[in-house]
């Protein structure tokens, strides 16, 4: 995409944000892939909106793009799995295991076996590596610190973590200037 198109997308993002079109802002961020809104991502992770977290991420990277991306998706899906186990929702945990985590078995079969064995425990905290797993809120916060490091290190997110500095209401100003120019031209020739 041209640099003009990129600049226009940022102007539109700014306008939509100023006008409080929040869902549209995040959809355009995701679809354009120009700006990864870390604050929005953090909010969705803290809320446990895992489908939205993955959907938003998919505008910037896929599971198999690189090792950073793979680790990001793995950590999110593992957290989703552990939360299902913590709620004793075994059927949901099995669904996550088969649908979301199975893809990682080809990369680390031993780890996948360990994760699968968690299903056999009454409380997954009986597993030595997960004995310090706290409540959902603190586990999400700890995971988010790791995710942010992975995102910042991932080359696919380079130049996408900072929104460019634009004067307030820049798009509206440009449009108003254009209308004034047309108005003056109209007045000159009529």
């Amino acid at each position: 995409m041209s640099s003009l198109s990129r600049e226009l997308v940022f102007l539109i993002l700014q306008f939509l944000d100023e006008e409080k079109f929040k869902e549209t802002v995040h959809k355009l961020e995701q679809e354009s892939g120009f700006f990864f809104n870390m604050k929005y991502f953090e909010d969705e992770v803290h809320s446990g909106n895992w489908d939205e977290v993955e959907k938003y991420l998919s505008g910037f990277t896929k599971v198999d793009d690189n090792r950073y991306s793979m680790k990001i998706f793995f950590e999110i899906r593992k957290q989703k799995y552990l939360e299902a186990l913590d709620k004793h929702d075994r059927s949901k945990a099995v669904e996550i295991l088969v649908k979301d985590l199975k893809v990682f078995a080809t990369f680390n079969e031993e780890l996948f076996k360990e994760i699968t064995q968690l299903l056999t425990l009454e409380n997954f905290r009986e597993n030595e590596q997960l004995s310090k797993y706290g409540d959902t809120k603190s586990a999400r916060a700890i995971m988010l610190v790791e995710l942010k490091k992975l995102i910042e290190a991932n080359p696919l997110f380079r130049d996408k973590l900072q929104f460019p500095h634009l004067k307030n209401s820049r798009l509206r100003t440009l449009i108003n200037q254009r209308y004034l120019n047309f108005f003056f031209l109209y007045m000159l020739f009529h």
Side-chain angles (χ1 to χ4, degrees), residues 77-102 112 115-122 124:
R77 293 172 183 185
K78 181 180 78 173
Q79 180 62 31
K80 186 172 147 181
Y81 176 68
L82 293 176
E83 288 181 21
L85 287 175
D86 206 24
K87 292 177 189 166
H88 301 287
D89 189 345
R90 298 259 186 246
S91 62
K92 181 70 174 168
V94 168
E95 179 186 322
I96 294 166
L97 189 65
V98 172
K99 191 178 124 220
D100 298 334
L101 289 167
K102 182 91 171 129
F112 184 74
I115 289 173
T116 303
Q117 288 174 348
L118 296 176
L119 283 168
T120 64
L121 303 175
E122 185 58 37
F124 66 83

Side-chain angles (χ1 to χ4, degrees), residues 135-190:
D135 63 5
T136 298
K137 186 177 180 181
S138 61
R140 288 177 184 172
I142 291 166
M143 177 192 65
L144 193 53
V145 170
E146 178 69 15
L147 291 179
K148 286 171 73 172
K149 288 178 190 173
L150 290 165
I151 289 168
E152 289 167 2
N154 192 330
L156 295 174
F157 289 85
R158 195 168 291 129
D159 302 325
K160 295 178 181 182
L161 298 174
Q162 284 291 113
F163 196 86
H165 179 72
L166 302 171
K167 291 180 183 174
N168 288 345
S169 304
R170 184 70 183 130
L171 182 60
R172 190 181 310 277
T173 302
L174 290 171
I175 291 170
N176 287 340
Q177 286 173 348
R178 179 66 59 199
Y179 280 129
L180 279 174
N181 289 341
F182 284 131
F183 175 74
F184 287 127
L185 284 173
Y186 177 80
M187 294 304 287
L188 267 169
F189 295 105
H190 285 89

